[in-house]
Coordinates of all heavy atoms in Angstrom, one line a residue:
M10 N -17.6 22.1 -10.0 CA -16.5 21.2 -9.6 C -16.6 19.9 -10.3 O -15.6 19.3 -10.7 CB -16.5 21.0 -8.1 CG -15.4 20.1 -7.7 SD -15.2 19.6 -5.9 CE -15.6 21.0 -5.0
A11 N -17.8 19.4 -10.6 CA -18.0 18.1 -11.3 C -17.4 18.1 -12.7 O -16.8 17.1 -13.1 CB -19.5 17.8 -11.3
R12 N -17.5 19.2 -13.4 CA -16.9 19.3 -14.7 C -15.4 19.2 -14.7 O -14.7 18.6 -15.5 CB -17.4 20.5 -15.4 CG -18.8 20.4 -15.9 CD -19.1 21.6 -16.8 NE -20.4 22.1 -16.3 CZ -20.9 23.3 -16.6 NH1 -20.2 24.2 -17.3 NH2 -22.0 23.7 -16.2
V13 N -14.8 19.9 -13.7 CA -13.4 19.9 -13.6 C -12.9 18.5 -13.3 O -11.9 18.0 -13.9 CB -12.9 20.9 -12.4 CG1 -11.4 20.7 -12.1 CG2 -13.2 22.3 -12.8
V14 N -13.5 17.8 -12.3 CA -13.2 16.5 -12.0 C -13.3 15.5 -13.2 O -12.4 14.8 -13.5 CB -14.0 15.9 -10.8 CG1 -13.8 14.5 -10.6 CG2 -13.7 16.8 -9.5
A15 N -14.4 15.7 -13.9 CA -14.6 14.8 -15.1 C -13.5 15.0 -16.1 O -13.0 14.1 -16.7 CB -16.0 15.1 -15.7
R16 N -13.1 16.3 -16.4 CA -12.0 16.6 -17.3 C -10.7 16.0 -16.8 O -9.9 15.4 -17.6 CB -11.9 18.1 -17.5 CG -12.9 18.7 -18.5 CD -12.5 20.1 -18.9 NE -12.3 21.0 -17.8 CZ -13.2 21.8 -17.3 NH1 -14.5 21.8 -17.7 NH2 -12.9 22.6 -16.3
Q17 N -10.4 16.1 -15.5 CA -9.2 15.6 -15.0 C -9.2 14.0 -15.0 O -8.1 13.4 -15.3 CB -9.0 16.1 -13.6 CG -8.6 17.6 -13.6 CD -8.4 18.1 -12.2 OE1 -8.5 17.4 -11.2 NE2 -8.0 19.4 -12.1
V18 N -10.3 13.4 -14.7 CA -10.3 11.9 -14.8 C -10.1 11.5 -16.3 O -9.3 10.6 -16.5 CB -11.7 11.4 -14.4 CG1 -11.9 9.9 -14.7 CG2 -11.9 11.6 -12.9
E19 N -10.7 12.2 -17.2 CA -10.5 11.9 -18.6 C -9.0 12.0 -19.0 O -8.4 11.2 -19.7 CB -11.3 12.8 -19.5 CG -11.3 12.5 -21.0 CD -12.2 13.4 -21.7 OE1 -13.4 13.5 -21.4 OE2 -11.7 14.0 -22.7
A20 N -8.4 13.1 -18.5 CA -7.0 13.4 -18.8 C -6.1 12.3 -18.2 O -5.2 11.8 -18.9 CB -6.5 14.7 -18.2
V21 N -6.3 11.8 -17.0 CA -5.5 10.8 -16.4 C -5.7 9.5 -17.2 O -4.7 8.8 -17.5 CB -5.8 10.6 -14.9 CG1 -5.1 9.4 -14.3 CG2 -5.4 11.8 -14.1
R22 N -6.9 9.1 -17.5 CA -7.2 7.9 -18.2 C -6.5 7.9 -19.6 O -6.2 6.9 -20.1 CB -8.6 7.6 -18.3 CG -9.2 7.2 -16.9 CD -10.6 6.8 -16.9 NE -11.0 6.3 -15.6 CZ -12.3 6.4 -15.1 NH1 -13.2 7.0 -15.9 NH2 -12.5 6.0 -13.9
A23 N -6.4 9.1 -20.1 CA -5.7 9.2 -21.5 C -4.2 9.2 -21.4 O -3.5 9.3 -22.4 CB -6.2 10.5 -22.1
G24 N -3.7 9.1 -20.2 CA -2.2 9.1 -20.0 C -1.5 10.4 -19.6 O -0.3 10.4 -19.5
R25 N -2.3 11.4 -19.4 CA -1.7 12.7 -19.1 C -1.5 12.8 -17.5 O -2.1 12.0 -16.8 CB -2.5 13.9 -19.6 CG -2.5 13.9 -21.1 CD -3.1 15.2 -21.7 NE -4.5 15.4 -21.3 CZ -5.6 14.9 -22.0 NH1 -5.3 14.1 -23.1 NH2 -6.8 15.1 -21.7
V26 N -0.8 13.7 -17.1 CA -0.5 13.9 -15.7 C -1.3 15.1 -15.2 O -1.4 16.2 -15.8 CB 1.0 14.2 -15.4 CG1 1.3 14.5 -13.9 CG2 1.8 13.0 -15.9
V27 N -2.0 14.9 -14.1 CA -2.8 16.0 -13.5 C -2.1 16.4 -12.1 O -1.9 15.5 -11.3 CB -4.3 15.6 -13.2 CG1 -5.0 16.6 -12.4 CG2 -4.9 15.3 -14.6
G28 N -1.8 17.6 -12.0 CA -1.2 18.1 -10.7 C -2.1 19.0 -9.9 O -2.9 19.7 -10.4
R29 N -1.9 18.8 -8.6 CA -2.5 19.7 -7.6 C -1.5 20.1 -6.6 O -1.0 19.2 -5.9 CB -3.7 19.0 -6.9 CG -4.4 19.8 -5.9 CD -5.1 21.0 -6.5 NE -6.1 20.6 -7.5 CZ -6.6 21.5 -8.4 NH1 -6.2 22.8 -8.3 NH2 -7.4 21.1 -9.3
G30 N -1.0 21.3 -6.7 CA 0.2 21.7 -5.9 C 1.4 20.9 -6.4 O 1.6 20.8 -7.6
D31 N 2.1 20.3 -5.5 CA 3.3 19.5 -5.9 C 2.9 18.0 -6.1 O 3.8 17.2 -6.4 CB 4.4 19.6 -4.9 CG 5.0 21.0 -4.9 OD1 4.9 21.7 -5.9 OD2 5.6 21.4 -3.9
V32 N 1.7 17.6 -5.9 CA 1.3 16.2 -6.0 C 0.8 16.0 -7.5 O 0.0 16.8 -8.0 CB 0.2 15.9 -5.0 CG1 -0.3 14.5 -5.2 CG2 0.7 16.1 -3.6
R33 N 1.3 14.9 -8.1 CA 0.8 14.6 -9.4 C 0.2 13.2 -9.5 O 0.6 12.3 -8.8 CB 2.0 14.6 -10.4 CG 2.6 16.0 -10.5 CD 4.0 16.0 -11.1 NE 4.9 15.4 -10.1 CZ 6.1 14.9 -10.4 NH1 6.5 14.9 -11.6 NH2 6.8 14.4 -9.4
V34 N -0.9 13.2 -10.2 CA -1.7 11.9 -10.4 C -1.5 11.4 -11.8 O -1.7 12.2 -12.8 CB -3.2 12.1 -10.1 CG1 -4.0 10.9 -10.4 CG2 -3.4 12.6 -8.7
T35 N -1.1 10.2 -12.0 CA -0.9 9.6 -13.3 C -1.7 8.3 -13.4 O -2.3 7.9 -12.4 CB 0.6 9.2 -13.6 OG1 0.9 8.1 -12.8 CG2 1.5 10.4 -13.2
R36 N -1.7 7.8 -14.6 CA -2.5 6.5 -14.8 C -1.9 5.4 -13.9 O -2.5 4.5 -13.5 CB -2.4 6.1 -16.3 CG -3.2 4.9 -16.6 CD -3.1 4.5 -18.0 NE -2.8 5.6 -18.9 CZ -2.6 5.5 -20.2 NH1 -2.6 4.3 -20.8 NH2 -2.4 6.6 -21.0
D37 N -0.5 5.5 -13.6 CA 0.2 4.5 -12.9 C 0.2 4.7 -11.4 O 0.4 3.7 -10.7 CB 1.6 4.4 -13.4 CG 1.7 4.1 -14.9 OD1 0.8 3.3 -15.4 OD2 2.6 4.6 -15.6
G38 N 0.0 5.9 -10.9 CA 0.1 6.1 -9.5 C 0.1 7.6 -9.1 O -0.2 8.4 -9.9
I39 N 0.6 7.8 -7.9 CA 0.6 9.2 -7.4 C 2.1 9.5 -7.0 O 2.8 8.7 -6.5 CB -0.3 9.4 -6.1 CG1 -0.4 10.8 -5.7 CG2 0.1 8.5 -5.0 CD1 -1.5 11.1 -4.7
I40 N 2.5 10.8 -7.4 CA 3.8 11.2 -7.2 C 3.9 12.5 -6.3 O 3.2 13.4 -6.6 CB 4.5 11.5 -8.6 CG1 4.3 10.3 -9.5 CG2 6.0 11.9 -8.4 CD1 4.7 10.7 -11.0
G41 N 4.7 12.4 -5.3 CA 4.9 13.6 -4.5 C 6.1 14.4 -5.0 O 6.8 14.0 -5.9
P42 N 6.3 15.6 -4.4 CA 7.4 16.5 -4.8 C 8.8 15.9 -4.7 O 9.6 16.3 -5.5 CB 7.2 17.7 -4.0 CG 6.4 17.3 -2.8 CD 5.6 16.1 -3.2
K43 N 9.0 15.0 -3.8 CA 10.4 14.5 -3.6 C 10.5 13.0 -4.1 O 11.5 12.4 -3.8 CB 10.8 14.6 -2.1 CG 10.9 16.1 -1.7 CD 11.3 16.2 -0.3 CE 11.3 17.7 0.1 NZ 11.7 17.8 1.5
D44 N 9.5 12.5 -4.7 CA 9.5 11.1 -5.1 C 10.2 10.9 -6.4 O 10.0 11.7 -7.3 CB 8.0 10.6 -5.2 CG 7.3 10.5 -3.9 OD1 7.9 10.5 -2.9 OD2 6.0 10.5 -4.0
A45 N 11.0 9.9 -6.5 CA 11.7 9.6 -7.7 C 10.8 8.9 -8.7 O 10.9 9.0 -9.9 CB 12.9 8.7 -7.4
A46 N 9.8 8.2 -8.1 CA 8.8 7.5 -9.0 C 7.5 7.5 -8.3 O 7.3 7.7 -7.1 CB 9.3 6.0 -9.2
A47 N 6.5 7.2 -9.1 CA 5.1 7.1 -8.6 C 4.9 6.0 -7.6 O 5.5 4.9 -7.8 CB 4.1 7.0 -9.7
A48 N 4.1 6.2 -6.6 CA 3.6 5.1 -5.8 C 2.5 4.4 -6.6 O 1.5 5.0 -6.9 CB 3.1 5.6 -4.5
P49 N 2.7 3.2 -7.0 CA 1.8 2.5 -7.9 C 0.4 2.3 -7.2 O 0.4 2.1 -6.0 CB 2.4 1.1 -8.2 CG 3.7 1.2 -7.7 CD 3.9 2.3 -6.7
W50 N -0.7 2.4 -7.9 CA -2.0 2.3 -7.3 C -2.2 1.0 -6.6 O -2.8 1.0 -5.5 CB -3.1 2.5 -8.4 CG -3.1 3.9 -9.0 CD1 -3.0 4.2 -10.3 CD2 -3.3 5.1 -8.3 NE1 -3.1 5.5 -10.5 CE2 -3.2 6.1 -9.3 CE3 -3.4 5.5 -7.0 CZ2 -3.3 7.5 -8.9 CZ3 -3.5 6.8 -6.6 CH2 -3.5 7.8 -7.6
A51 N -1.6 -0.1 -7.1 CA -1.7 -1.3 -6.4 C -1.0 -1.3 -5.0 O -1.4 -2.1 -4.1 CB -1.1 -2.4 -7.2
A52 N -0.1 -0.4 -4.8 CA 0.6 -0.3 -3.5 C 0.0 0.7 -2.6 O 0.5 0.8 -1.4 CB 2.1 0.1 -3.7
V53 N -1.0 1.4 -3.0 CA -1.7 2.4 -2.2 C -2.9 1.8 -1.5 O -3.8 1.3 -2.1 CB -2.1 3.6 -3.1 CG1 -2.9 4.6 -2.2 CG2 -0.9 4.3 -3.7
E54 N -2.8 1.9 -0.2 CA -4.0 1.4 0.6 C -5.0 2.4 0.8 O -6.2 2.2 0.6 CB -3.5 0.9 2.0 CG -4.5 0.4 2.9 CD -4.0 0.0 4.3 OE1 -2.9 -0.6 4.3 OE2 -4.6 0.4 5.3
R55 N -4.6 3.7 1.1 CA -5.5 4.8 1.3 C -4.8 6.1 1.2 O -3.6 6.2 1.5 CB -6.1 4.6 2.7 CG -7.0 5.7 3.2 CD -7.6 5.4 4.5 NE -8.6 6.4 4.9 CZ -9.7 6.6 4.4 NH1 -10.1 5.9 3.4 NH2 -10.5 7.6 4.8
I56 N -5.5 7.1 0.7 CA -5.0 8.5 0.7 C -5.9 9.4 1.5 O -7.1 9.4 1.3 CB -4.9 9.0 -0.8 CG1 -4.0 8.1 -1.6 CG2 -4.4 10.4 -0.8 CD1 -3.8 8.4 -3.0
E57 N -5.3 10.1 2.4 CA -6.0 11.1 3.2 C -5.6 12.5 2.9 O -4.4 12.7 2.8 CB -5.7 10.8 4.7 CG -6.1 9.4 5.1 CD -5.5 8.9 6.4 OE1 -4.6 9.6 6.9 OE2 -5.9 7.9 6.9
L58 N -6.5 13.4 2.7 CA -6.2 14.7 2.3 C -6.8 15.7 3.2 O -8.0 15.5 3.7 CB -6.8 15.0 0.9 CG -6.2 14.1 -0.2 CD1 -7.3 13.1 -0.6 CD2 -5.8 14.9 -1.4
W59 N -6.1 16.8 3.5 CA -6.6 18.0 4.2 C -6.1 19.2 3.4 O -5.2 19.0 2.6 CB -5.9 18.1 5.6 CG -6.2 16.9 6.5 CD1 -7.3 16.8 7.4 CD2 -5.5 15.7 6.6 NE1 -7.2 15.6 8.0 CE2 -6.1 14.9 7.6 CE3 -4.4 15.2 6.0 CZ2 -5.7 13.7 8.0 CZ3 -3.9 13.9 6.4 CH2 -4.6 13.2 7.3
P60 N -6.6 20.4 3.6 CA -6.1 21.5 2.9 C -4.6 21.6 3.0 O -4.1 21.8 4.1 CB -6.9 22.7 3.5 CG -8.1 22.1 4.0 CD -7.7 20.7 4.5
G61 N -3.9 21.5 1.9 CA -2.5 21.6 1.9 C -1.7 20.4 2.4 O -0.5 20.5 2.4
R62 N -2.3 19.3 2.7 CA -1.6 18.1 3.2 C -2.2 16.9 2.6 O -3.4 16.7 2.4 CB -1.7 18.0 4.7 CG -1.0 19.1 5.4 CD -1.0 18.9 6.9 NE -2.4 18.9 7.4 CZ -2.8 18.4 8.6 NH1 -1.9 17.7 9.3 NH2 -4.0 18.5 9.0
V63 N -1.3 15.9 2.3 CA -1.7 14.6 1.7 C -0.9 13.6 2.5 O 0.3 13.7 2.7 CB -1.4 14.6 0.2 CG1 -1.7 13.2 -0.3 CG2 -2.1 15.7 -0.6
R64 N -1.6 12.5 2.8 CA -0.9 11.3 3.4 C -1.3 10.1 2.6 O -2.5 9.8 2.5 CB -1.4 11.2 4.9 CG -0.6 10.0 5.6 CD -1.0 9.9 7.0 NE -0.7 11.1 7.8 CZ -1.4 11.6 8.8 NH1 -2.5 11.0 9.2 NH2 -1.0 12.7 9.4
V65 N -0.3 9.5 2.0 CA -0.5 8.3 1.2 C 0.0 7.1 2.0 O 1.1 7.0 2.4 CB 0.3 8.4 -0.1 CG1 0.1 7.1 -0.9 CG2 0.0 9.6 -0.9
R66 N -1.0 6.3 2.4 CA -0.7 5.1 3.2 C -0.5 3.9 2.2 O -1.4 3.6 1.5 CB -1.8 4.8 4.2 CG -1.9 5.9 5.2 CD -2.9 5.5 6.3 NE -3.1 6.6 7.2 CZ -2.4 6.8 8.3 NH1 -1.4 6.0 8.6 NH2 -2.7 7.8 9.1
L67 N 0.7 3.3 2.3 CA 1.0 2.2 1.4 C 0.7 0.9 2.0 O 0.6 0.7 3.2 CB 2.5 2.3 1.0 CG 2.9 3.6 0.3 CD1 4.4 3.6 0.1 CD2 2.2 3.8 -1.0
T68 N 0.4 -0.1 1.2 CA 0.1 -1.5 1.7 C 1.3 -2.1 2.4 O 1.1 -3.0 3.2 CB -0.3 -2.4 0.5 OG1 0.7 -2.4 -0.4 CG2 -1.6 -2.0 -0.1
S69 N 2.5 -1.6 2.2 CA 3.7 -2.0 2.9 C 3.7 -1.6 4.4 O 4.6 -2.0 5.1 CB 4.9 -1.6 2.2 OG 5.0 -0.2 2.3
G70 N 2.8 -0.7 4.7 CA 2.8 -0.1 6.1 C 3.5 1.2 6.2 O 3.4 1.9 7.2
K71 N 4.2 1.6 5.1 CA 4.9 2.9 5.1 C 3.9 4.0 4.7 O 2.8 3.8 4.1 CB 6.0 2.9 4.1 CG 7.1 2.0 4.5 CD 8.3 2.1 3.6 CE 9.4 1.1 4.1 NZ 10.6 1.2 3.3
T72 N 4.2 5.2 5.0 CA 3.4 6.4 4.7 C 4.2 7.5 4.1 O 5.4 7.7 4.5 CB 2.8 6.9 6.0 OG1 2.0 5.9 6.6 CG2 1.9 8.1 5.7
R73 N 3.7 8.0 3.0 CA 4.3 9.2 2.4 C 3.5 10.4 2.8 O 2.3 10.4 2.6 CB 4.4 9.0 0.9 CG 5.3 8.0 0.4 CD 5.3 7.9 -1.1 NE 6.2 6.9 -1.6 CZ 6.5 6.7 -2.9 NH1 5.9 7.4 -3.8 NH2 7.3 5.7 -3.3
K74 N 4.2 11.5 3.2 CA 3.4 12.7 3.6 C 3.9 13.8 2.7 O 5.1 14.0 2.5 CB 3.7 13.0 5.1 CG 3.2 12.0 6.0 CD 3.5 12.4 7.4 CE 3.2 11.2 8.4 NZ 3.6 11.5 9.7
Y75 N 2.9 14.6 2.2 CA 3.3 15.8 1.4 C 2.5 17.0 2.0 O 1.3 16.9 2.2 CB 2.8 15.6 0.0 CG 3.2 14.2 -0.6 CD1 2.2 13.4 -1.2 CD2 4.5 13.8 -0.7 CE1 2.6 12.2 -1.7 CE2 4.9 12.6 -1.2 CZ 3.9 11.8 -1.7 OH 4.2 10.6 -2.3
N76 N 3.3 18.0 2.2 CA 2.7 19.3 2.7 C 2.9 20.4 1.7 O 4.0 20.5 1.2 CB 3.3 19.7 4.0 CG 3.0 18.8 5.2 OD1 1.8 18.3 5.2 ND2 3.9 18.5 6.0
N77 N 1.8 21.0 1.3 CA 1.9 22.1 0.3 C 0.9 23.1 0.6 O -0.3 23.0 0.2 CB 1.7 21.5 -1.1 CG 1.8 22.6 -2.1 OD1 1.9 23.8 -1.8 ND2 1.9 22.2 -3.4
Y78 N 1.3 24.1 1.4 CA 0.3 25.1 1.8 C 0.1 26.2 0.7 O -0.8 27.0 0.8 CB 0.7 25.8 3.1 CG 0.7 24.8 4.2 CD1 1.8 24.1 4.6 CD2 -0.5 24.4 4.7 CE1 1.8 23.2 5.6 CE2 -0.6 23.4 5.7 CZ 0.6 22.8 6.2 OH 0.5 21.8 7.1
R79 N 0.8 26.1 -0.4 CA 0.5 27.1 -1.5 C -0.8 26.8 -2.2 O -1.4 27.7 -2.7 CB 1.7 27.0 -2.6 CG 3.0 27.6 -2.1 CD 4.0 27.4 -3.2 NE 4.0 26.1 -3.7 CZ 4.2 25.7 -5.0 NH1 4.4 26.6 -5.9 NH2 4.2 24.5 -5.4
D80 N -1.1 25.5 -2.4 CA -2.3 25.1 -3.2 C -3.2 24.1 -2.4 O -3.6 23.2 -3.0 CB -1.8 24.5 -4.5 CG -2.9 24.3 -5.5 OD1 -4.0 25.0 -5.3 OD2 -2.8 23.6 -6.4
G81 N -3.4 24.4 -1.2 CA -4.3 23.5 -0.4 C -5.7 23.6 -0.8 O -6.5 22.6 -0.5
S82 N -6.2 24.7 -1.4 CA -7.6 24.8 -1.6 C -8.2 23.9 -2.6 O -9.4 23.6 -2.6 CB -7.9 26.3 -2.1 OG -7.2 26.4 -3.4
G83 N -7.4 23.3 -3.5 CA -7.9 22.4 -4.5 C -7.8 20.9 -4.1 O -8.1 20.1 -5.0
Y84 N -7.5 20.6 -2.9 CA -7.4 19.2 -2.5 C -8.8 18.5 -2.4 O -8.8 17.3 -2.5 CB -6.7 19.1 -1.2 CG -5.2 19.2 -1.4 CD1 -4.6 19.8 -2.5 CD2 -4.3 18.7 -0.5 CE1 -3.3 19.9 -2.8 CE2 -2.9 18.8 -0.7 CZ -2.4 19.4 -1.8 OH -1.1 19.5 -2.0
A85 N -9.9 19.2 -2.3 CA -11.2 18.6 -2.4 C -11.4 18.1 -3.8 O -11.9 17.0 -4.0 CB -12.3 19.6 -2.0
V86 N -11.0 18.8 -4.8 CA -11.0 18.4 -6.2 C -10.1 17.2 -6.4 O -10.5 16.2 -7.0 CB -10.6 19.5 -7.2 CG1 -10.5 19.0 -8.6 CG2 -11.6 20.7 -7.1
L87 N -8.9 17.2 -5.8 CA -8.0 16.1 -5.9 C -8.7 14.8 -5.3 O -8.6 13.7 -5.9 CB -6.7 16.4 -5.2 CG -5.7 15.3 -5.1 CD1 -5.3 14.8 -6.5 CD2 -4.4 15.7 -4.3
C88 N -9.3 14.9 -4.2 CA -10.0 13.8 -3.5 C -11.1 13.2 -4.5 O -11.1 12.0 -4.7 CB -10.6 14.2 -2.2 SG -11.3 12.8 -1.3
R89 N -11.9 14.1 -5.1 CA -12.9 13.6 -6.0 C -12.3 12.9 -7.2 O -12.8 12.0 -7.7 CB -13.8 14.8 -6.4 CG -14.7 15.2 -5.2 CD -15.6 16.3 -5.6 NE -16.4 16.7 -4.5 CZ -17.6 17.2 -4.5 NH1 -18.2 17.2 -5.6 NH2 -18.2 17.6 -3.4
L90 N -11.2 13.5 -7.7 CA -10.5 12.8 -8.8 C -10.0 11.4 -8.4 O -10.3 10.5 -9.2 CB -9.3 13.7 -9.2 CG -8.2 13.0 -10.1 CD1 -8.9 12.7 -11.5 CD2 -7.0 13.9 -10.3
L91 N -9.4 11.3 -7.2 CA -9.0 10.0 -6.8 C -10.1 9.0 -6.6 O -10.0 7.9 -7.0 CB -8.2 10.1 -5.5 CG -6.9 10.9 -5.6 CD1 -6.3 11.2 -4.2 CD2 -5.8 10.2 -6.4
L92 N -11.2 9.5 -6.0 CA -12.4 8.6 -5.9 C -12.9 8.2 -7.2 O -13.3 7.0 -7.4 CB -13.5 9.3 -5.1 CG -13.2 9.5 -3.6 CD1 -14.2 10.5 -3.0 CD2 -13.1 8.2 -2.9
A93 N -13.0 9.1 -8.2 CA -13.5 8.7 -9.5 C -12.5 7.7 -10.2 O -13.0 6.9 -11.1 CB -13.6 10.0 -10.4
L94 N -11.3 7.7 -9.8 CA -10.3 6.7 -10.4 C -10.3 5.4 -9.6 O -9.6 4.5 -10.0 CB -8.9 7.3 -10.4 CG -8.6 8.5 -11.3 CD1 -7.3 9.1 -11.0 CD2 -8.8 8.1 -12.8
G95 N -11.1 5.3 -8.6 CA -11.3 4.1 -7.8 C -10.3 4.0 -6.7 O -10.1 2.9 -6.1
V96 N -9.7 5.1 -6.3 CA -8.7 5.1 -5.2 C -9.5 5.3 -3.9 O -10.4 6.1 -3.8 CB -7.6 6.2 -5.4 CG1 -6.7 6.2 -4.2 CG2 -6.9 5.9 -6.7
N97 N -9.1 4.6 -2.8 CA -9.6 4.8 -1.5 C -9.1 6.1 -0.9 O -7.9 6.2 -0.5 CB -9.3 3.6 -0.6 CG -9.9 3.7 0.8 OD1 -10.8 4.6 1.0 ND2 -9.5 2.8 1.7
A98 N -9.9 7.2 -0.9 CA -9.4 8.5 -0.5 C -10.5 9.2 0.3 O -11.6 8.9 0.2 CB -9.1 9.3 -1.7
S99 N -10.0 10.1 1.2 CA -10.9 10.9 2.0 C -10.4 12.3 2.1 O -9.2 12.5 2.0 CB -11.1 10.3 3.4 OG -9.9 10.3 4.1
Y100 N -11.3 13.2 2.3 CA -10.9 14.6 2.4 C -11.5 15.2 3.6 O -12.7 15.1 3.9 CB -11.4 15.4 1.2 CG -11.1 16.9 1.3 CD1 -9.8 17.4 1.1 CD2 -12.1 17.8 1.5 CE1 -9.5 18.7 1.2 CE2 -11.8 19.2 1.6 CZ -10.5 19.6 1.5 OH -10.3 21.0 1.6
E101 N -10.7 15.9 4.4 CA -11.2 16.6 5.6 C -11.0 18.1 5.4 O -9.9 18.5 5.2 CB -10.5 16.1 6.9 CG -10.9 16.9 8.1 CD -12.3 16.7 8.5 OE1 -12.8 15.5 8.5 OE2 -13.0 17.7 8.9
A102 N -12.1 18.8 5.3 CA -12.0 20.3 5.0 C -11.2 21.1 6.0 O -10.7 22.2 5.7 CB -13.4 20.9 4.8
R103 N -11.0 20.6 7.2 CA -10.3 21.3 8.2 C -9.0 20.6 8.4 O -8.9 19.4 8.6 CB -11.0 21.4 9.5 CG -12.2 22.3 9.4 CD -12.8 22.5 10.8 NE -14.2 22.2 10.7 CZ -15.0 22.4 11.7 NH1 -14.6 22.8 12.8 NH2 -16.3 22.2 11.6
G104 N -7.9 21.4 8.4 CA -6.6 20.8 8.6 C -6.2 20.6 10.0 O -5.4 20.0 10.5

């Protein structure tokens, strides 16, 4: 898993988009399936992940929720990617 995370961190830092299910991580922020634009990293207070679910808590007090049960198994990798990028994130293996 460490190699996968390292490759994905490198990709994001190089300006590419890394997706896990319908959630995409970019150099500028995180984008959900119905978002018109990325939630900028500066506006993200915390990201909480469970298998198939993501909750993005914004500094404005709003929360974006994404549910994707098709690809929930890779959210532990997504959490490690976010942590490596310096994002406050946590992963709970049980939903």
Side-chain angles (χ1 to χ4, degrees):
M10 181 183 320
R12 286 187 225 163
V13 171
V14 172
R16 283 193 304 268
Q17 290 182 353
V18 168
E19 185 178 309
V21 170
R22 288 186 175 149
R25 294 190 298 276
V26 176
V27 172
R29 180 63 58 196
D31 290 339
V32 177
R33 294 165 290 160
V34 177
T35 72
R36 186 183 327 176
D37 300 324
I39 188 165
I40 307 168
K43 296 180 181 178
D44 295 336
W50 293 124
V53 174
E54 179 180 317
R55 177 173 183 71
I56 298 177
E57 300 163 348
L58 301 106
W59 298 269
R62 295 186 295 156
V63 178
R64 183 177 298 146
V65 179
R66 296 187 184 272
L67 303 174
T68 56
S69 67
K71 294 186 179 186
T72 301
R73 292 182 179 182
K74 296 177 186 177
Y75 313 124
N76 294 320
N77 180 348
Y78 293 100
R79 289 180 310 143
D80 189 19
S82 62
Y84 281 19
V86 173
L87 176 60
C88 184
R89 289 183 185 211
L90 166 64
L91 294 169
L92 290 171
L94 292 172
V96 177
N97 184 10
S99 65
Y100 176 73
E101 178 63 42
R103 292 189 228 185

